[in-house]
Amino acid sequence: MIGRLNHVAIAVPDLAAATATYRDTLGATVSAAEDLPEHGVTVVFVELPNTKIELLHPLGDDSPIAGFLAKSPTGGIHHVCYEVDDIRAARDRLESAGARVLGDGNPKIGAHGKPVLFLHPKDFCGTLVELEQA
Ligand SMILES: CC[C@@H](C(=O)O)C(=O)SCCNC(=O)CCNC(=O)[C@H](O)C(C)(C)COP(=O)(O)OP(=O)(O)OC[C@H]1O[C@@H](n2cnc3c(N)ncnc32)[C@H](O)[C@@H]1OP(=O)(O)O
Ligand SMILES: [Co+2]
């Protein structure tokens, strides 16, 4: 059911410093920072030849990544995102298998303009999984 690895997201306490690390130390192409209030994060995209890295920083009082950064103050890998052909069919299949879809179960529009959903980390080997419609 899952296809390409769309991105790996890294939660960071200092977005400017993380951006500089990827741009200046690792020599990657990075985007400008973008606020996504709908998702409670500010994001910088790092473009790699075969996938993307999302550098995430909390935005607002109810950011879903605040708890993660409280537990890992220096940051760390927050989620992986896999592409699926039909996100609603994937959701229904996963729910039938007992997996927990986070939020109200309806896809939101993600950072790349496509519908996304999140799956509980305890159901997927301790890793938060994002699904994005291909
Ligand atoms: C940029 C836009 C978009 C895109 O298009 O790409 C994004 O990626 S937005 C990214 C941010 N959005 C989300 O993460 C939405 C989904 N996330 C959530 O709903 C919550 O973060 C969460 C996964 C339910 C966690 O909520 P939180 O309140 O922080 O923690 P809990 O106490 O409820 O956690 C329960 C349990 O799970 C562990 N945990 C939490 N986060 C992670 C994680 N990222 N990876 C692995 N494990 C995680 C947490 O430690 C708890 O474990 P125990 O302590 O053992 O109970
Ligand atoms: Co993401």
Side-chain angles (χ1 to χ4, degrees), residues 7 9 36 39 41 43 45 54 56 64-68 71 77-79 81 102-103 109-112 116 118 120-122 126-128 130 132:
H7 62 267
L36 298 174
H39 290 281
V41 294
V43 62
F45 302 107
E54 273 180 6
L56 299 178
I65 72 169
F68 181 90
K71 283 185 183 167
I77 293 180
H78 182 260
H79 65 265
C81 177
L102 295 168
I109 297 303
H112 313 108
V116 300
F118 289 86
H120 201 287
K122 296 293 183 194
T127 305
L128 177 62
E130 179 180 0
E132 181 176 303

Side-chain angles (χ1 to χ4, degrees), residues 12-117:
V12 300
D14 183 335
L15 192 54
T19 303
T21 297
Y22 270 83
R23 183 188 57 225
D24 303 334
T25 309
L26 293 172
T29 300
V30 301
S31 74
E34 191 179 336
D35 288 343
L36 298 174
E38 175 88 347
H39 290 281
V41 294
T42 302
V43 62
V44 167
F45 302 107
V46 180
E47 293 292 337
L48 301 180
N50 59 344
T51 191
K52 295 182 277 286
I53 304 293
E54 273 180 6
L55 302 176
L56 299 178
H57 186 72
L59 176 68
D61 293 335
D62 296 322
S63 175
I65 72 169
F68 181 90
L69 274 175
K71 283 185 183 167
S72 305
T74 57
I77 293 180
H78 182 260
H79 65 265
V80 293
C81 177
Y82 303 118
E83 295 180 4
V84 292
D85 287 333
D86 182 337
I87 199 163
R88 287 181 175 77
R91 173 198 61 195
D92 293 348
R93 176 172 160 178
L94 288 161
E95 282 183 332
S96 299
R100 286 167 285 179
V101 176
L102 295 168
D104 65 7
N106 291 310
K108 281 187 185 177
I109 297 303
H112 313 108
K114 299 193 173 162
V116 300
L117 280 175

